[in-house]
Amino acid sequence: MNQKKLIFLIFIIACMACKPKVELYLERGLDILSNKKELKFKIYQDLIIDELGVIRDQKENKKTLVFKLNKSVTDTFFKTENLLGVRVWIEDKNKNKRIENWDFKPKLTQVNDYKYIIKEIFVKEHQIKKMKLYIYQNRDNKKHKVGKDTLLHKINTYND
């Protein structure tokens, strides 16, 4: 009986030690993420996006869009009213096309020496045909773009 309890306790501790996939990739600076894209894009003032990737965690049943930032980025940008515009063009397996806006207020996430902006996304398709990134501010219920924008092609949403 004690042996069964010990085995059960070891199993529980082992499960608690297992980290979510997103956390593992962030800790390693996206170094082993197979679908990342190198950008080195200065989107606004001192905000530079070095890399972009999508982490698919089948165990958690979610996908996370990750922007790895230049290490010199400060939290000043994140204290403003700036929003990150993410416009995507997606084509499903039946060739139906759609456009989605995933705009959000970015929040700085730091893991070890790495800095990120992360956003959970809800997309079933394995590829985003195009993605436009830009910074904007809401003024009088209208988007006013500030900074530069960039258009990316073929972003894979699977990584295993």
Side-chain angles (χ1 to χ4, degrees):
M1 188 80 137
N2 286 339
Q3 187 177 12
K4 288 182 180 179
K5 288 182 181 179
L6 180 62
I7 291 170
F8 181 73
L9 182 61
I10 290 171
F11 174 77
I12 295 297
I13 291 171
C15 286
M16 289 172 56
C18 296
K19 293 182 180 179
K21 206 172 194 182
V22 171
E23 191 175 330
L24 292 171
Y25 280 110
L26 296 181
E27 285 177 354
R28 296 194 53 171
L30 306 182
D31 68 340
I32 57 172
L33 186 62
S34 63
N35 65 358
K36 68 181 175 184
K37 284 190 176 276
E38 188 172 319
L39 297 182
K40 303 284 186 205
F41 178 67
K42 185 176 182 176
I43 193 166
Y44 183 69
Q45 293 177 352
D46 73 339
L47 184 62
I48 299 169
I49 301 173
D50 283 346
E51 296 176 329
L52 171 140
V54 177
I55 301 170
R56 178 177 75 165
D57 190 337
Q58 289 180 308
K59 183 176 148 188
E60 299 283 328
N61 194 28
K62 69 179 184 178
K63 293 181 182 180
T64 305
L65 180 61
V66 179
F67 302 95
K68 183 179 176 188
L69 307 175
N70 185 283
K71 290 184 179 187
S72 65
V73 169
T74 64
D75 65 346
T76 305
F77 169 82
F78 300 93
K79 294 177 181 176
T80 65
E81 295 302 313
N82 294 322
L83 299 163
L84 179 57
V86 181
R87 186 174 185 107
V88 294
W89 289 260
I90 301 170
E91 187 176 303
D92 66 19
K93 62 184 176 185
N94 297 322
K95 304 290 184 199
N96 295 318
K97 297 176 183 178
R98 70 181 189 277
I99 298 172
E100 294 183 10
N101 289 312
W102 298 342
D103 301 359
F104 65 104
K105 172 76 174 128
K107 180 181 151 195
L108 182 64
T109 300
Q110 185 161 350
V111 180
N112 298 333
D113 289 336
Y114 305 107
K115 296 178 181 181
Y116 303 98
I117 296 172
I118 59 175
K119 168 132 176 79
E120 190 171 337
I121 58 173
F122 303 94
V123 59
K124 294 178 185 176
E125 291 78 15
H126 293 306
Q127 189 178 78
I128 297 167
K129 294 294 179 189
K130 291 190 296 185
M131 177 184 288
K132 183 177 183 179
L133 302 173
Y134 56 96
I135 301 295
Y136 72 94
Q137 296 173 346
N138 270 331
R139 288 188 231 138
D140 301 323
N141 292 324
K142 292 183 181 178
K143 288 183 180 181
H144 291 273
K145 190 178 85 152
V146 294
K148 299 178 181 178
D149 62 41
T150 188
L151 189 63
L152 308 168
H153 297 275
K154 295 183 181 176
I155 292 95
N156 293 323
T157 66
Y158 62 88
N159 54 290
D160 43 26

